[in-house]
Amino acid sequence: ATEHLVARGHTKIGFVGDDPSPFGFTSSERRRQGMARALRRAGIGRNGALEVRAPHGREHARESAERLLNLPDRPTAIFAASDVQAMGVLEAARAKGLRVPQDLAVIGFDDIEVAEVLGLTTVRQPLRETGARGVDLLLSAINGDGVEPTEELAPLTVIARTTT
């Protein structure tokens, strides 16, 4: 997501993600760390003031984005850790009278069904395929097929739409 924004000329990239989870969910934090790595690779200094975390949800993301968009040196792009949060960012941009993507680019993560309807640029992860693969591995283990523990990473794809 960050590489996509950098390729479009953005250097002031904000992040809207989740508070640390008491349940051990790490996806939002891993996405924030990935953003930091991508910025480093691009030679762009990381600005912690442009990173906001709050409870997961559209409303909290809208409030987080409002804080970012009210900064004197606001971001020109925001990476939201999920498409639901990206929806909140889009609401904040609209309320502030910003044009997307001319004044603010927005990218989400997940490629939920409504992302296409909204024209939301997002990172697609193949949830159905990875879920099916997990079930196959679990059934093989239950059947005693000698399956060794494995870690497999599915490819992610940026789906560019109208918000970037």
Side-chain angles (χ1 to χ4, degrees):
T2 304
E3 290 170 355
H4 176 81
L5 295 171
V6 168
R8 280 160 177 67
H10 296 283
T11 57
K12 290 189 292 183
I13 301 171
F15 177 81
V16 171
D18 300 340
D19 278 334
S21 167
F23 304 108
F25 300 135
T26 61
S27 58
S28 180
E29 178 58 18
R30 290 177 65 143
R31 292 167 191 169
R32 190 184 67 78
Q33 291 170 0
M35 177 180 147
R37 283 191 304 276
L39 290 173
R40 242 187 339 271
R41 283 193 304 267
I44 300 170
R46 182 173 167 197
N47 183 346
L50 297 181
E51 298 175 11
V52 182
R53 291 179 270 183
H56 186 82
R58 194 185 90 235
E59 181 68 20
H60 291 292
R62 184 186 58 74
E63 293 167 0
S64 294
E66 286 172 353
R67 282 188 283 173
L68 291 175
L69 297 176
N70 285 326
L71 291 172
D73 193 23
R74 70 169 180 79
T76 61
I78 294 178
F79 169 30
S82 74
D83 290 346
V84 169
Q85 290 164 312
M87 290 167 43
V89 173
L90 291 171
E91 287 178 314
R94 182 176 52 237
K96 193 154 179 68
L98 297 175
R99 298 167 300 147
V100 175
Q102 297 89 340
D103 301 323
L104 179 72
V106 179
I107 188 167
F109 200 103
D110 291 324
D111 198 25
I112 62 175
E113 192 171 333
V114 73
E116 184 174 6
V117 175
L118 295 174
L120 177 64
T121 297
T122 186
V123 177
R124 177 181 291 159
Q125 57 179 333
L127 294 176
R128 185 177 310 277
E129 293 85 354
T130 55
R133 177 68 178 139
V135 168
D136 289 343
L137 290 170
L138 177 61
L139 291 175
S140 293
I142 290 170
N143 291 331
D145 294 339
V147 176
E148 293 294 318
T150 182
E151 179 179 40
E152 298 176 14
L153 298 175
L156 303 175
T157 308
V158 171
I159 306 300
R161 296 191 178 108
T162 61
T163 61
T164 58

